Amino acid sequence: MRRLCVTAVVLLLSLGGCATLAPHAVETEQRVEELAEAGEYGRALAALDRLIERDPDNEALQSHRADLQRRADRFEQTILIEAAAHLRVEDWAAARERYEHGLNVLPDSEALRAAREAFETERQHHVRALRTRLLLARAHSLIRERPMYDELHRIAPGSARARQQHQRAEREARELAEELRDLGEAALGADDPLLAVEALTLAHALSPVQVGADRLDEAESARQARLGMLQVQPIAEQDTDGTWTAQDQALLERYRNAFRSGDLALARHLLDDLSRRHPDNEEIYRQRPVLSRAIDTHVSAGLERGLRLYTHGRIEDALDVWRPLKALAPENRELEAHVERAERVQRRLEALQ
């Protein structure tokens, strides 16, 4: 009796399996449409391709596939456009989410895969650039703050807090100098003497032991050689709205010549004039961070050079270094404080004579 029941169950299951074979194609076509309606174009195309393999001469399936491919292509273009819009406002997370969503739906899309790879390359470059800017900003900040820690430690030698702050500043200066030295050497190896000069100048200002004056001179020579090779592009020929004049071109050439020669005060004045004339010009916009970085580096190096002179009693020489920097960095309170202190000392010395 038990064997009979088992046999009956097996027969029923077998019959049930056979019963599903007939409408299999209909159910698969329905599944394709369900996937397409759900926006799962990749899976829908794959399922439809399997149907076509079983019935390659079915014109209805071929027509369905062409229509489904057009829908998938529109989806692909929408993802690319949306991701590009997010990247224009540097919304990296949203752009990545769009690429990931697109590839989840269309895993075989070469356009989406190439766009995501380009996105990742750009994102990594942006991350490296941000880390570099943070390192340079930390160095500029410590160079401004370090003399105050030194002065506080000098006038309050018995203060444990002043001693700890001084020690911490000295330790951070050595660590930053080492990082900046490595960054500068890497920049020289990558043929980026502008970054190399900034990094090595800051490293030398923080710790002259880390970067000698000879190496800094080599970097500066490379920088001057690179600036000398810059070609002045005739932007007037590229301007399409007819607003760029010969006078504007002359101002741009004067700016670049001033920048190359190290006359950064004149360069800034000329760039400000050009910015007022053409506030939306991309060429002028790109020059702004380059000039700002050059000014920051020049001021930081001058602060450090003046401090060395000041600590050796060469007050007038220190003022000769610091006073011209005020035109470049009028908002730099630390520079202003150094000048005022040195002038007070100079007046006292003159009064004693």
Side-chain angles (χ1 to χ4, degrees), residues 49-83:
D49 286 340
R50 288 192 294 271
L51 275 178
I52 293 174
E53 287 178 4
R54 293 201 292 268
D55 190 4
D57 298 326
N58 190 319
E59 293 183 1
L61 291 179
Q62 295 289 351
S63 177
H64 190 187
R65 196 198 188 287
D67 177 68
L68 186 57
Q69 184 63 58
R70 285 191 292 271
R71 294 164 68 180
D73 291 343
R74 287 196 296 269
F75 170 80
E76 179 186 75
Q77 287 300 312
T78 298
I79 291 294
L80 292 171
I81 292 171
E82 290 175 352

PDB file of all heavy atoms in Angstrom, residues 49-83:
ATOM      1  N   ASP A  49      16.788  37.467 -25.037  1.00  0.00           N
ATOM      2  CA  ASP A  49      17.786  36.812 -25.884  1.00  0.00           C
ATOM      3  C   ASP A  49      17.681  35.286 -25.790  1.00  0.00           C
ATOM      4  O   ASP A  49      17.886  34.574 -26.785  1.00  0.00           O
ATOM      5  CB  ASP A  49      19.192  37.267 -25.492  1.00  0.00           C
ATOM      6  CG  ASP A  49      19.482  38.683 -25.962  1.00  0.00           C
ATOM      7  OD1 ASP A  49      18.790  39.148 -26.882  1.00  0.00           O
ATOM      8  OD2 ASP A  49      20.401  39.313 -25.402  1.00  0.00           O
ATOM      9  N   ARG A  50      17.375  34.772 -24.613  1.00  0.00           N
ATOM     10  CA  ARG A  50      17.216  33.319 -24.478  1.00  0.00           C
ATOM     11  C   ARG A  50      15.997  32.837 -25.272  1.00  0.00           C
ATOM     12  O   ARG A  50      16.016  31.756 -25.870  1.00  0.00           O
ATOM     13  CB  ARG A  50      17.090  32.944 -22.999  1.00  0.00           C
ATOM     14  CG  ARG A  50      18.397  33.078 -22.219  1.00  0.00           C
ATOM     15  CD  ARG A  50      18.308  32.418 -20.852  1.00  0.00           C
ATOM     16  NE  ARG A  50      17.371  33.091 -19.978  1.00  0.00           N
ATOM     17  CZ  ARG A  50      17.693  34.102 -19.166  1.00  0.00           C
ATOM     18  NH1 ARG A  50      18.939  34.571 -19.145  1.00  0.00           N
ATOM     19  NH2 ARG A  50      16.775  34.655 -18.380  1.00  0.00           N
ATOM     20  N   LEU A  51      14.942  33.640 -25.269  1.00  0.00           N
ATOM     21  CA  LEU A  51      13.770  33.296 -26.076  1.00  0.00           C
ATOM     22  C   LEU A  51      14.123  33.281 -27.564  1.00  0.00           C
ATOM     23  O   LEU A  51      13.703  32.386 -28.315  1.00  0.00           O
ATOM     24  CB  LEU A  51      12.650  34.303 -25.826  1.00  0.00           C
ATOM     25  CG  LEU A  51      11.729  34.067 -24.620  1.00  0.00           C
ATOM     26  CD1 LEU A  51      10.730  35.203 -24.534  1.00  0.00           C
ATOM     27  CD2 LEU A  51      11.023  32.735 -24.716  1.00  0.00           C
ATOM     28  N   ILE A  52      14.873  34.283 -27.995  1.00  0.00           N
ATOM     29  CA  ILE A  52      15.236  34.375 -29.405  1.00  0.00           C
ATOM     30  C   ILE A  52      16.136  33.215 -29.819  1.00  0.00           C
ATOM     31  O   ILE A  52      16.051  32.718 -30.956  1.00  0.00           O
ATOM     32  CB  ILE A  52      15.903  35.736 -29.687  1.00  0.00           C
ATOM     33  CG1 ILE A  52      14.881  36.870 -29.508  1.00  0.00           C
ATOM     34  CG2 ILE A  52      16.503  35.787 -31.075  1.00  0.00           C
ATOM     35  CD1 ILE A  52      15.454  38.258 -29.610  1.00  0.00           C
ATOM     36  N   GLU A  53      16.996  32.757 -28.913  1.00  0.00           N
ATOM     37  CA  GLU A  53      17.839  31.599 -29.224  1.00  0.00           C
ATOM     38  C   GLU A  53      16.991  30.370 -29.531  1.00  0.00           C
ATOM     39  O   GLU A  53      17.340  29.550 -30.394  1.00  0.00           O
ATOM     40  CB  GLU A  53      18.775  31.312 -28.051  1.00  0.00           C
ATOM     41  CG  GLU A  53      19.915  32.312 -27.901  1.00  0.00           C
ATOM     42  CD  GLU A  53      20.791  32.004 -26.690  1.00  0.00           C
ATOM     43  OE1 GLU A  53      20.540  30.967 -26.038  1.00  0.00           O
ATOM     44  OE2 GLU A  53      21.690  32.806 -26.399  1.00  0.00           O
ATOM     45  N   ARG A  54      15.869  30.227 -28.827  1.00  0.00           N
ATOM     46  CA  ARG A  54      14.999  29.065 -29.062  1.00  0.00           C
ATOM     47  C   ARG A  54      14.132  29.238 -30.307  1.00  0.00           C
ATOM     48  O   ARG A  54      13.691  28.259 -30.888  1.00  0.00           O
ATOM     49  CB  ARG A  54      14.107  28.836 -27.834  1.00  0.00           C
ATOM     50  CG  ARG A  54      14.865  28.397 -26.591  1.00  0.00           C
ATOM     51  CD  ARG A  54      13.935  27.706 -25.606  1.00  0.00           C
ATOM     52  NE  ARG A  54      12.966  28.629 -25.037  1.00  0.00           N
ATOM     53  CZ  ARG A  54      13.171  29.303 -23.905  1.00  0.00           C
ATOM     54  NH1 ARG A  54      14.316  29.182 -23.246  1.00  0.00           N
ATOM     55  NH2 ARG A  54      12.237  30.118 -23.434  1.00  0.00           N
ATOM     56  N   ASP A  55      13.911  30.524 -30.687  1.00  0.00           N
ATOM     57  CA  ASP A  55      13.054  30.783 -31.836  1.00  0.00           C
ATOM     58  C   ASP A  55      13.632  31.964 -32.616  1.00  0.00           C
ATOM     59  O   ASP A  55      13.072  33.066 -32.631  1.00  0.00           O
ATOM     60  CB  ASP A  55      11.631  31.086 -31.358  1.00  0.00           C
ATOM     61  CG  ASP A  55      10.628  31.133 -32.508  1.00  0.00           C
ATOM     62  OD1 ASP A  55      11.036  30.856 -33.652  1.00  0.00           O
ATOM     63  OD2 ASP A  55       9.458  31.456 -32.260  1.00  0.00           O
ATOM     64  N   PRO A  56      14.782  31.758 -33.302  1.00  0.00           N
ATOM     65  CA  PRO A  56      15.491  32.871 -33.940  1.00  0.00           C
ATOM     66  C   PRO A  56      14.734  33.530 -35.084  1.00  0.00           C
ATOM     67  O   PRO A  56      15.063  34.663 -35.462  1.00  0.00           O
ATOM     68  CB  PRO A  56      16.786  32.221 -34.437  1.00  0.00           C
ATOM     69  CG  PRO A  56      16.469  30.777 -34.556  1.00  0.00           C
ATOM     70  CD  PRO A  56      15.472  30.475 -33.484  1.00  0.00           C
ATOM     71  N   ASP A  57      13.755  32.870 -35.648  1.00  0.00           N
ATOM     72  CA  ASP A  57      13.022  33.435 -36.782  1.00  0.00           C
ATOM     73  C   ASP A  57      11.749  34.164 -36.369  1.00  0.00           C
ATOM     74  O   ASP A  57      10.974  34.596 -37.234  1.00  0.00           O
ATOM     75  CB  ASP A  57      12.665  32.309 -37.773  1.00  0.00           C
ATOM     76  CG  ASP A  57      13.915  31.642 -38.341  1.00  0.00           C
ATOM     77  OD1 ASP A  57      14.916  32.353 -38.530  1.00  0.00           O
ATOM     78  OD2 ASP A  57      13.894  30.417 -38.586  1.00  0.00           O
ATOM     79  N   ASN A  58      11.532  34.303 -35.088  1.00  0.00           N
ATOM     80  CA  ASN A  58      10.320  34.943 -34.600  1.00  0.00           C
ATOM     81  C   ASN A  58      10.470  36.465 -34.742  1.00  0.00           C
ATOM     82  O   ASN A  58      11.205  37.118 -33.995  1.00  0.00           O
ATOM     83  CB  ASN A  58      10.080  34.558 -33.137  1.00  0.00           C
ATOM     84  CG  ASN A  58       8.707  34.989 -32.647  1.00  0.00           C
ATOM     85  OD1 ASN A  58       8.238  36.078 -32.947  1.00  0.00           O
ATOM     86  ND2 ASN A  58       8.059  34.120 -31.873  1.00  0.00           N
ATOM     87  N   GLU A  59       9.778  37.049 -35.718  1.00  0.00           N
ATOM     88  CA  GLU A  59       9.893  38.488 -35.984  1.00  0.00           C
ATOM     89  C   GLU A  59       9.333  39.327 -34.843  1.00  0.00           C
ATOM     90  O   GLU A  59       9.821  40.433 -34.568  1.00  0.00           O
ATOM     91  CB  GLU A  59       9.180  38.825 -37.286  1.00  0.00           C
ATOM     92  CG  GLU A  59       9.831  38.228 -38.521  1.00  0.00           C
ATOM     93  CD  GLU A  59       9.128  38.637 -39.795  1.00  0.00           C
ATOM     94  OE1 GLU A  59       8.142  39.403 -39.681  1.00  0.00           O
ATOM     95  OE2 GLU A  59       9.575  38.222 -40.878  1.00  0.00           O
ATOM     96  N   ALA A  60       8.302  38.810 -34.173  1.00  0.00           N
ATOM     97  CA  ALA A  60       7.722  39.559 -33.057  1.00  0.00           C
ATOM     98  C   ALA A  60       8.740  39.713 -31.935  1.00  0.00           C
ATOM     99  O   ALA A  60       8.851  40.787 -31.312  1.00  0.00           O
ATOM    100  CB  ALA A  60       6.466  38.852 -32.556  1.00  0.00           C
ATOM    101  N   LEU A  61       9.496  38.636 -31.669  1.00  0.00           N
ATOM    102  CA  LEU A  61      10.527  38.711 -30.627  1.00  0.00           C
ATOM    103  C   LEU A  61      11.634  39.682 -31.036  1.00  0.00           C
ATOM    104  O   LEU A  61      12.143  40.453 -30.209  1.00  0.00           O
ATOM    105  CB  LEU A  61      11.106  37.324 -30.364  1.00  0.00           C
ATOM    106  CG  LEU A  61      10.188  36.300 -29.691  1.00  0.00           C
ATOM    107  CD1 LEU A  61      10.907  34.971 -29.523  1.00  0.00           C
ATOM    108  CD2 LEU A  61       9.703  36.813 -28.335  1.00  0.00           C
ATOM    109  N   GLN A  62      12.023  39.635 -32.324  1.00  0.00           N
ATOM    110  CA  GLN A  62      13.066  40.536 -32.810  1.00  0.00           C
ATOM    111  C   GLN A  62      12.618  41.990 -32.680  1.00  0.00           C
ATOM    112  O   GLN A  62      13.392  42.864 -32.266  1.00  0.00           O
ATOM    113  CB  GLN A  62      13.395  40.216 -34.269  1.00  0.00           C
ATOM    114  CG  GLN A  62      14.012  38.834 -34.498  1.00  0.00           C
ATOM    115  CD  GLN A  62      15.435  38.742 -33.966  1.00  0.00           C
ATOM    116  OE1 GLN A  62      16.034  39.753 -33.562  1.00  0.00           O
ATOM    117  NE2 GLN A  62      15.975  37.525 -33.955  1.00  0.00           N
ATOM    118  N   SER A  63      11.360  42.262 -33.039  1.00  0.00           N
ATOM    119  CA  SER A  63      10.832  43.623 -32.911  1.00  0.00           C
ATOM    120  C   SER A  63      10.779  44.056 -31.449  1.00  0.00           C
ATOM    121  O   SER A  63      11.106  45.202 -31.115  1.00  0.00           O
ATOM    122  CB  SER A  63       9.434  43.684 -33.535  1.00  0.00           C
ATOM    123  OG  SER A  63       8.868  44.967 -33.364  1.00  0.00           O
ATOM    124  N   HIS A  64      10.367  43.120 -30.588  1.00  0.00           N
ATOM    125  CA  HIS A  64      10.313  43.413 -29.156  1.00  0.00           C
ATOM    126  C   HIS A  64      11.693  43.751 -28.623  1.00  0.00           C
ATOM    127  O   HIS A  64      11.868  44.678 -27.826  1.00  0.00           O
ATOM    128  CB  HIS A  64       9.714  42.219 -28.418  1.00  0.00           C
ATOM    129  CG  HIS A  64       9.403  42.510 -26.985  1.00  0.00           C
ATOM    130  ND1 HIS A  64       8.998  41.552 -26.099  1.00  0.00           N
ATOM    131  CD2 HIS A  64       9.434  43.675 -26.262  1.00  0.00           C
ATOM    132  CE1 HIS A  64       8.803  42.095 -24.914  1.00  0.00           C
ATOM    133  NE2 HIS A  64       9.066  43.380 -24.994  1.00  0.00           N
ATOM    134  N   ARG A  65      12.684  43.002 -29.104  1.00  0.00           N
ATOM    135  CA  ARG A  65      14.043  43.248 -28.621  1.00  0.00           C
ATOM    136  C   ARG A  65      14.554  44.629 -29.057  1.00  0.00           C
ATOM    137  O   ARG A  65      15.215  45.333 -28.300  1.00  0.00           O
ATOM    138  CB  ARG A  65      15.001  42.176 -29.123  1.00  0.00           C
ATOM    139  CG  ARG A  65      16.309  42.203 -28.316  1.00  0.00           C
ATOM    140  CD  ARG A  65      17.436  41.524 -28.959  1.00  0.00           C
ATOM    141  NE  ARG A  65      18.554  41.457 -28.016  1.00  0.00           N
ATOM    142  CZ  ARG A  65      19.322  42.499 -27.653  1.00  0.00           C
ATOM    143  NH1 ARG A  65      19.065  43.718 -28.122  1.00  0.00           N
ATOM    144  NH2 ARG A  65      20.316  42.327 -26.790  1.00  0.00           N
ATOM    145  N   ALA A  66      14.278  45.004 -30.297  1.00  0.00           N
ATOM    146  CA  ALA A  66      14.705  46.321 -30.773  1.00  0.00           C
ATOM    147  C   ALA A  66      14.068  47.437 -29.942  1.00  0.00           C
ATOM    148  O   ALA A  66      14.724  48.420 -29.579  1.00  0.00           O
ATOM    149  CB  ALA A  66      14.341  46.478 -32.247  1.00  0.00           C
ATOM    150  N   ASP A  67      12.803  47.291 -29.626  1.00  0.00           N
ATOM    151  CA  ASP A  67      12.117  48.286 -28.798  1.00  0.00           C
ATOM    152  C   ASP A  67      12.702  48.327 -27.391  1.00  0.00           C
ATOM    153  O   ASP A  67      12.938  49.403 -26.830  1.00  0.00           O
ATOM    154  CB  ASP A  67      10.623  47.965 -28.728  1.00  0.00           C
ATOM    155  CG  ASP A  67       9.884  48.932 -27.815  1.00  0.00           C
ATOM    156  OD1 ASP A  67       9.778  50.120 -28.161  1.00  0.00           O
ATOM    157  OD2 ASP A  67       9.425  48.487 -26.735  1.00  0.00           O
ATOM    158  N   LEU A  68      12.970  47.129 -26.854  1.00  0.00           N
ATOM    159  CA  LEU A  68      13.526  47.064 -25.501  1.00  0.00           C
ATOM    160  C   LEU A  68      14.939  47.643 -25.460  1.00  0.00           C
ATOM    161  O   LEU A  68      15.327  48.315 -24.493  1.00  0.00           O
ATOM    162  CB  LEU A  68      13.533  45.610 -25.016  1.00  0.00           C
ATOM    163  CG  LEU A  68      13.960  45.369 -23.566  1.00  0.00           C
ATOM    164  CD1 LEU A  68      13.073  46.171 -22.611  1.00  0.00           C
ATOM    165  CD2 LEU A  68      13.880  43.875 -23.236  1.00  0.00           C
ATOM    166  N   GLN A  69      15.706  47.437 -26.532  1.00  0.00           N
ATOM    167  CA  GLN A  69      17.059  47.994 -26.593  1.00  0.00           C
ATOM    168  C   GLN A  69      17.010  49.518 -26.626  1.00  0.00           C
ATOM    169  O   GLN A  69      17.837  50.188 -26.002  1.00  0.00           O
ATOM    170  CB  GLN A  69      17.794  47.466 -27.820  1.00  0.00           C
ATOM    171  CG  GLN A  69      19.250  47.910 -27.910  1.00  0.00           C
ATOM    172  CD  GLN A  69      20.078  47.389 -26.748  1.00  0.00           C
ATOM    173  OE1 GLN A  69      20.171  46.188 -26.534  1.00  0.00           O
ATOM    174  NE2 GLN A  69      20.687  48.303 -25.991  1.00  0.00           N
ATOM    175  N   ARG A  70      16.027  50.081 -27.347  1.00  0.00           N
ATOM    176  CA  ARG A  70      15.892  51.542 -27.375  1.00  0.00           C
ATOM    177  C   ARG A  70      15.573  52.075 -25.984  1.00  0.00           C
ATOM    178  O   ARG A  70      16.094  53.121 -25.569  1.00  0.00           O
ATOM    179  CB  ARG A  70      14.804  51.953 -28.370  1.00  0.00           C
ATOM    180  CG  ARG A  70      15.236  51.834 -29.831  1.00  0.00           C
ATOM    181  CD  ARG A  70      14.222  52.510 -30.742  1.00  0.00           C
ATOM    182  NE  ARG A  70      12.952  51.792 -30.752  1.00  0.00           N
ATOM    183  CZ  ARG A  70      12.657  50.808 -31.589  1.00  0.00           C
ATOM    184  NH1 ARG A  70      13.549  50.409 -32.484  1.00  0.00           N
ATOM    185  NH2 ARG A  70      11.475  50.231 -31.556  1.00  0.00           N
ATOM    186  N   ARG A  71      14.742  51.372 -25.254  1.00  0.00           N
ATOM    187  CA  ARG A  71      14.410  51.808 -23.893  1.00  0.00           C
ATOM    188  C   ARG A  71      15.639  51.726 -22.996  1.00  0.00           C
ATOM    189  O   ARG A  71      15.891  52.613 -22.156  1.00  0.00           O
ATOM    190  CB  ARG A  71      13.269  50.949 -23.338  1.00  0.00           C
ATOM    191  CG  ARG A  71      11.958  51.164 -24.083  1.00  0.00           C
ATOM    192  CD  ARG A  71      10.954  50.072 -23.805  1.00  0.00           C
ATOM    193  NE  ARG A  71      10.474  50.088 -22.418  1.00  0.00           N
ATOM    194  CZ  ARG A  71       9.585  49.203 -21.947  1.00  0.00           C
ATOM    195  NH1 ARG A  71       9.097  48.257 -22.756  1.00  0.00           N
ATOM    196  NH2 ARG A  71       9.184  49.280 -20.696  1.00  0.00           N
ATOM    197  N   ALA A  72      16.425  50.666 -23.176  1.00  0.00           N
ATOM    198  CA  ALA A  72      17.655  50.523 -22.385  1.00  0.00           C
ATOM    199  C   ALA A  72      18.653  51.625 -22.731  1.00  0.00           C
ATOM    200  O   ALA A  72      19.327  52.175 -21.843  1.00  0.00           O
ATOM    201  CB  ALA A  72      18.275  49.140 -22.627  1.00  0.00           C
ATOM    202  N   ASP A  73      18.742  51.978 -24.018  1.00  0.00           N
ATOM    203  CA  ASP A  73      19.663  53.047 -24.428  1.00  0.00           C
ATOM    204  C   ASP A  73      19.246  54.386 -23.827  1.00  0.00           C
ATOM    205  O   ASP A  73      20.101  55.179 -23.403  1.00  0.00           O
ATOM    206  CB  ASP A  73      19.696  53.146 -25.953  1.00  0.00           C
ATOM    207  CG  ASP A  73      20.377  51.940 -26.603  1.00  0.00           C
ATOM    208  OD1 ASP A  73      21.083  51.216 -25.886  1.00  0.00           O
ATOM    209  OD2 ASP A  73      20.178  51.733 -27.813  1.00  0.00           O
ATOM    210  N   ARG A  74      17.940  54.653 -23.809  1.00  0.00           N
ATOM    211  CA  ARG A  74      17.470  55.908 -23.193  1.00  0.00           C
ATOM    212  C   ARG A  74      17.798  55.931 -21.706  1.00  0.00           C
ATOM    213  O   ARG A  74      18.189  56.970 -21.161  1.00  0.00           O
ATOM    214  CB  ARG A  74      15.971  56.066 -23.423  1.00  0.00           C
ATOM    215  CG  ARG A  74      15.596  56.432 -24.850  1.00  0.00           C
ATOM    216  CD  ARG A  74      14.162  56.954 -24.922  1.00  0.00           C
ATOM    217  NE  ARG A  74      13.202  55.915 -24.542  1.00  0.00           N
ATOM    218  CZ  ARG A  74      12.636  55.073 -25.392  1.00  0.00           C
ATOM    219  NH1 ARG A  74      12.948  55.128 -26.685  1.00  0.00           N
ATOM    220  NH2 ARG A  74      11.748  54.185 -24.976  1.00  0.00           N
ATOM    221  N   PHE A  75      17.625  54.796 -21.044  1.00  0.00           N
ATOM    222  CA  PHE A  75      17.973  54.708 -19.622  1.00  0.00           C
ATOM    223  C   PHE A  75      19.458  54.974 -19.425  1.00  0.00           C
ATOM    224  O   PHE A  75      19.858  55.722 -18.515  1.00  0.00           O
ATOM    225  CB  PHE A  75      17.604  53.326 -19.088  1.00  0.00           C
ATOM    226  CG  PHE A  75      18.140  53.040 -17.708  1.00  0.00           C
ATOM    227  CD1 PHE A  75      17.500  53.525 -16.581  1.00  0.00           C
ATOM    228  CD2 PHE A  75      19.310  52.297 -17.542  1.00  0.00           C
ATOM    229  CE1 PHE A  75      17.992  53.264 -15.315  1.00  0.00           C
ATOM    230  CE2 PHE A  75      19.812  52.039 -16.279  1.00  0.00           C
ATOM    231  CZ  PHE A  75      19.144  52.526 -15.163  1.00  0.00           C
ATOM    232  N   GLU A  76      20.293  54.383 -20.274  1.00  0.00           N
ATOM    233  CA  GLU A  76      21.741  54.572 -20.186  1.00  0.00           C
ATOM    234  C   GLU A  76      22.110  56.044 -20.324  1.00  0.00           C
ATOM    235  O   GLU A  76      22.907  56.577 -19.531  1.00  0.00           O
ATOM    236  CB  GLU A  76      22.416  53.749 -21.277  1.00  0.00           C
ATOM    237  CG  GLU A  76      23.930  53.873 -21.318  1.00  0.00           C
ATOM    238  CD  GLU A  76      24.503  53.139 -22.517  1.00  0.00           C
ATOM    239  OE1 GLU A  76      24.380  53.663 -23.651  1.00  0.00           O
ATOM    240  OE2 GLU A  76      25.058  52.036 -22.337  1.00  0.00           O
ATOM    241  N   GLN A  77      21.535  56.734 -21.305  1.00  0.00           N
ATOM    242  CA  GLN A  77      21.811  58.146 -21.511  1.00  0.00           C
ATOM    243  C   GLN A  77      21.343  58.991 -20.332  1.00  0.00           C
ATOM    244  O   GLN A  77      22.009  59.948 -19.926  1.00  0.00           O
ATOM    245  CB  GLN A  77      21.143  58.627 -22.799  1.00  0.00           C
ATOM    246  CG  GLN A  77      21.815  58.126 -24.055  1.00  0.00           C
ATOM    247  CD  GLN A  77      23.268  58.566 -24.148  1.00  0.00           C
ATOM    248  OE1 GLN A  77      23.577  59.737 -23.952  1.00  0.00           O
ATOM    249  NE2 GLN A  77      24.148  57.624 -24.421  1.00  0.00           N
ATOM    250  N   THR A  78      20.190  58.614 -19.768  1.00  0.00           N
ATOM    251  CA  THR A  78      19.678  59.354 -18.607  1.00  0.00           C
ATOM    252  C   THR A  78      20.641  59.250 -17.431  1.00  0.00           C
ATOM    253  O   THR A  78      20.920  60.249 -16.756  1.00  0.00           O
ATOM    254  CB  THR A  78      18.299  58.805 -18.201  1.00  0.00           C
ATOM    255  OG1 THR A  78      17.372  59.001 -19.271  1.00  0.00           O
ATOM    256  CG2 THR A  78      17.777  59.529 -16.956  1.00  0.00           C
ATOM    257  N   ILE A  79      21.163  58.051 -17.192  1.00  0.00           N
ATOM    258  CA  ILE A  79      22.122  57.859 -16.094  1.00  0.00           C
ATOM    259  C   ILE A  79      23.370  58.700 -16.332  1.00  0.00           C
ATOM    260  O   ILE A  79      23.878  59.379 -15.419  1.00  0.00           O
ATOM    261  CB  ILE A  79      22.486  56.374 -15.966  1.00  0.00           C
ATOM    262  CG1 ILE A  79      21.296  55.566 -15.457  1.00  0.00           C
ATOM    263  CG2 ILE A  79      23.692  56.188 -15.044  1.00  0.00           C
ATOM    264  CD1 ILE A  79      20.879  55.889 -14.041  1.00  0.00           C
ATOM    265  N   LEU A  80      23.891  58.682 -17.555  1.00  0.00           N
ATOM    266  CA  LEU A  80      25.096  59.446 -17.862  1.00  0.00           C
ATOM    267  C   LEU A  80      24.866  60.943 -17.672  1.00  0.00           C
ATOM    268  O   LEU A  80      25.714  61.650 -17.126  1.00  0.00           O
ATOM    269  CB  LEU A  80      25.542  59.162 -19.296  1.00  0.00           C
ATOM    270  CG  LEU A  80      26.060  57.746 -19.575  1.00  0.00           C
ATOM    271  CD1 LEU A  80      26.268  57.530 -21.068  1.00  0.00           C
ATOM    272  CD2 LEU A  80      27.364  57.494 -18.816  1.00  0.00           C
ATOM    273  N   ILE A  81      23.718  61.428 -18.089  1.00  0.00           N
ATOM    274  CA  ILE A  81      23.407  62.856 -17.948  1.00  0.00           C
ATOM    275  C   ILE A  81      23.253  63.232 -16.474  1.00  0.00           C
ATOM    276  O   ILE A  81      23.773  64.261 -16.013  1.00  0.00           O
ATOM    277  CB  ILE A  81      22.128  63.200 -18.740  1.00  0.00           C
ATOM    278  CG1 ILE A  81      22.393  63.081 -20.237  1.00  0.00           C
ATOM    279  CG2 ILE A  81      21.628  64.601 -18.389  1.00  0.00           C
ATOM    280  CD1 ILE A  81      21.148  63.195 -21.091  1.00  0.00           C
ATOM    281  N   GLU A  82      22.542  62.401 -15.707  1.00  0.00           N
ATOM    282  CA  GLU A  82      22.337  62.690 -14.286  1.00  0.00           C
ATOM    283  C   GLU A  82      23.651  62.669 -13.523  1.00  0.00           C
ATOM    284  O   GLU A  82      23.909  63.536 -12.674  1.00  0.00           O
ATOM    285  CB  GLU A  82      21.357  61.682 -13.690  1.00  0.00           C
ATOM    286  CG  GLU A  82      19.936  61.852 -14.185  1.00  0.00           C
ATOM    287  CD  GLU A  82      18.997  60.765 -13.663  1.00  0.00           C
ATOM    288  OE1 GLU A  82      19.492  59.796 -13.040  1.00  0.00           O
ATOM    289  OE2 GLU A  82      17.781  60.887 -13.866  1.00  0.00           O
ATOM    290  N   ALA A  83      24.499  61.680 -13.815  1.00  0.00           N
ATOM    291  CA  ALA A  83      25.793  61.600 -13.130  1.00  0.00           C
ATOM    292  C   ALA A  83      26.658  62.807 -13.468  1.00  0.00           C
ATOM    293  O   ALA A  83      27.318  63.385 -12.592  1.00  0.00           O
ATOM    294  CB  ALA A  83      26.505  60.304 -13.518  1.00  0.00           C
TER     295      ALA A  83
END
